Amino acid sequence: ELKVEQNPLFLSMQEGKNYTIYCNYSTTSDRLYWYRQDPGKSLESLFVLLSNGAVKQEGRLMASLDTKARLSTLHITAAVHDLSATYFCAVDLDNNNDMRFGAGTRLTVKP
Amino acid sequence: GAGVSQSPRYKVAKRGQDVALRCDPISGHVSLFWYQQALGQGPEFLTYFQNEAQLDKSGLPSDRFFAERPEGSVSTLKIQRTQQEDSAVYLCASSIGPFVYEQYFGPGTRLTVT
């Protein structure tokens, strides 16, 4: 059974600091997604990573994928309060649109 | 253009009642997905449609859950004889096609079973 594990599950950081969220998964897949969810809201797509070594950046967020290690990272640079949200990674099981999500990382950025 | 919409946004049902949750995907999107998100958890896959065909229903937790998309656009998730453990947010997502990977999520329906 596919397992998708994120860590940390809770992250409190100060503005201006850097940090990395990790997403490990237990089966072969070369499609990985990162989503953001604000409280009471739906999921917003951040990144779609479709191959080994893929790296994408948007503003202060950068995501990468290592399919051999079955690991994706979401790196936060110089955090700002607006980044406070829950971040989910999701893996496409068997590359057939069956997405399995991690439990999420609840990020709080404090001034 | 309009995004994915879901109705109702909130639903309170007494245990044993049947409920129907509606999803209107983005116009022209071929693929449609339903997810269940319990409080503090990530979404869990329920079922997937490509046009009107239900290609995967492996995530439906019991035979009380039924989904349909008869004309390949609007979809309904029906839960019969609701139980307290069915309380969750039900999310619908759509994507342009089976080989276009980005899914667009609706706002969800929060179901509370009392």
Side-chain angles (χ1 to χ4, degrees):
Chain A
E1 182 183 344
L2 172 65
K3 291 185 179 180
V4 182
E5 294 183 343
Q6 286 183 239
N7 74 84
L9 297 182
F10 297 92
L11 176 57
S12 179
M13 54 190 300
Q14 285 190 311
E15 282 190 330
K17 299 293 187 182
N18 305 330
Y19 208 84
T20 300
I21 299 170
Y22 297 89
C23 175
N24 291 87
Y25 54 97
S26 62
T27 194
T28 302
S29 176
D30 55 10
R31 297 185 200 171
L32 190 132
Y33 309 80
W34 284 95
Y35 288 88
R36 168 182 172 144
Q37 188 175 37
D38 291 288
K41 305 291 186 181
S42 193
L43 281 80
E44 173 191 354
S45 177
L46 294 175
F47 300 108
V48 179
L49 303 170
L50 299 176
S51 62
N52 185 41
V55 177
K56 290 194 175 180
Q57 183 164 3
E58 180 72 33
R60 301 175 187 272
L61 301 178
M62 183 174 69
S64 66
L65 177 61
D66 181 342
T67 58
K68 293 180 181 178
R70 299 178 183 176
L71 170 68
S72 180
T73 62
L74 180 66
H75 187 73
I76 303 157
T77 301
V80 293
H81 178 69
D82 285 352
L83 290 180
S84 297
T86 299
Y87 293 85
F88 292 97
C89 65
V91 175
D92 194 340
L93 180 63
D94 296 327
N95 293 331
N96 69 352
N97 296 303
D98 182 355
M99 284 214 297
R100 303 299 169 90
F101 283 78
T105 296
R106 185 174 298 179
L107 171 65
T108 302
V109 180
K110 298 181 177 180
Chain B
V4 178
S5 61
Q6 293 184 244
S7 61
R9 293 292 313 279
Y10 303 91
K11 177 69 179 178
V12 178
K14 291 187 177 179
R15 192 173 64 165
Q17 282 186 328
D18 298 349
V19 298
L21 312 180
R22 177 187 169 107
C23 173
D24 284 82
I26 294 173
S27 178
H29 278 199
V30 168
S31 301
L32 185 144
F33 308 81
W34 283 99
Y35 297 87
Q36 180 190 60
Q37 186 175 24
L39 187 64
Q41 301 294 316
E44 291 194 5
F45 171 82
L46 294 178
T47 187
Y48 159 55
F49 289 86
Q50 186 175 319
N51 294 307
E52 68 278 4
Q54 189 174 20
L55 298 187
D56 187 345
K57 55 181 181 179
S58 61
L60 296 176
S62 77
D63 59 7
R64 297 185 295 105
F65 286 71
F66 172 76
E68 60 182 5
R69 194 187 185 197
E71 297 179 357
S73 54
V74 172
S75 178
T76 303
L77 176 67
K78 297 179 179 178
I79 309 172
Q80 297 177 325
R81 305 181 303 281
T82 52
Q83 303 294 316
Q84 280 194 315
E85 61 263 28
D86 300 335
S87 296
V89 175
Y90 291 85
L91 295 166
C92 175
S94 69
S95 68
I96 293 175
F99 302 108
V100 178
Y101 313 113
E102 191 163 8
Q103 295 186 18
Y104 296 85
F105 282 80
T109 295
R110 182 178 297 275
L111 172 65
T112 303
V113 181
T114 61

